[in-house]
Amino acid sequence: MTPIVNSFFDTATSTFTYVVYEKEGSSCAVIDSVLHFDQKSGRTNTSSVEPVIAFIQNKKLQVEWILETHAHADHLSAAQLIKAQLGGKVAMSQHIQQVQTTFKDIFNLEGTFIADGAQFDYLIQDDEKLVCGDLVFQCFGVPGHTPACMAYQCGDSIFVGDTLFLPDVGTARCDFPGGDAQSLYRSIKRILSFPDQTKLYMCHDYPPSSREVQCFTTVAQQRKENIHVHDGVSEEEFVNMRKTRDATLEMPTLILPSIQINIRAGHFPPKESNQVSYLKLPLNIL
Ligand SMILES: [Fe+2]
């Protein structure tokens, strides 16, 4: 069954949130929600997720799944806010355990934080199918940007997470802990093995000034035009390009706060004795 896809673009982090559903009043899935975070004050705000919640209420949708394509490094997830207001199960790849293990060490997290994925309501196995009313999401692992990246295919659409960007922007970086350019190349090839007209929905867009923001493209367009990985680019060429390019990139502005929230499924760290949650800044680690 072909889903209806409604996209929301967060300009602060260039992130797309998707609401995927069958019809008014049906079940829906929310993919990659955003909770704003102001570094200067340490305050979160809900301005990015409020339109998503309003849309779901207007269409009388029932949230079944709150999906993450990966543990984002550029924004905080609003998954827990959506769950608190609208219900649904917060889910992502089972491989989040690997990401949690890496970052539990980096942040020296409290002993009660167990890197077993139990912070999420549901861990998705590779190649598992998730039922969402009359829709089915075929989930498949697309590691490379992170070990726990997962793409979600529903009907003629795939939500590709941080793998491909629009053809003129290229592909996701692979230099975060656990990232791997060779794996990303193979993950992208799997996505590009779908039929030509398959719609590929991006996690982000960083458009040049010459065009508007755009949330999807097709397999055919990517194979023909993607500047990093069009047909004919070998794995070796891709890996060399990615490593060279990644060495020039700064860390994302919100990587340290984002990871600490996102590996907790969007929960804040436990409150300390004064009833306040804190985030950490590891010095000279990343
Ligand atoms: Fe990412």
Side-chain angles (χ1 to χ4, degrees), residues 70-74 145-146 162 176 203-204:
H70 60 295
H72 306 274
D74 63 316
H145 173 63
T146 79
D162 274 3
F176 298 154
C203 185
H204 300 287

Side-chain angles (χ1 to χ4, degrees), residues 16-64:
F16 291 107
T17 297
Y18 297 104
V19 176
V20 187
Y21 63 106
E22 186 208 343
K23 60 184 182 207
E24 193 159 328
S26 74
S27 298
C28 75
V30 183
I31 301 177
D32 288 341
S33 59
V34 176
L35 181 66
H36 275 168
F37 179 70
D38 176 50
Q39 290 258 51
K40 298 189 288 297
S41 61
R43 281 197 168 270
T44 59
N45 86 65
T46 58
S47 58
S48 183
V49 68
E50 278 166 14
V52 179
I53 291 173
F55 177 86
I56 291 168
Q57 289 172 330
N58 269 333
K59 296 280 181 193
K60 300 182 172 52
L61 303 173
Q62 286 101 51
V63 179
E64 297 279 340

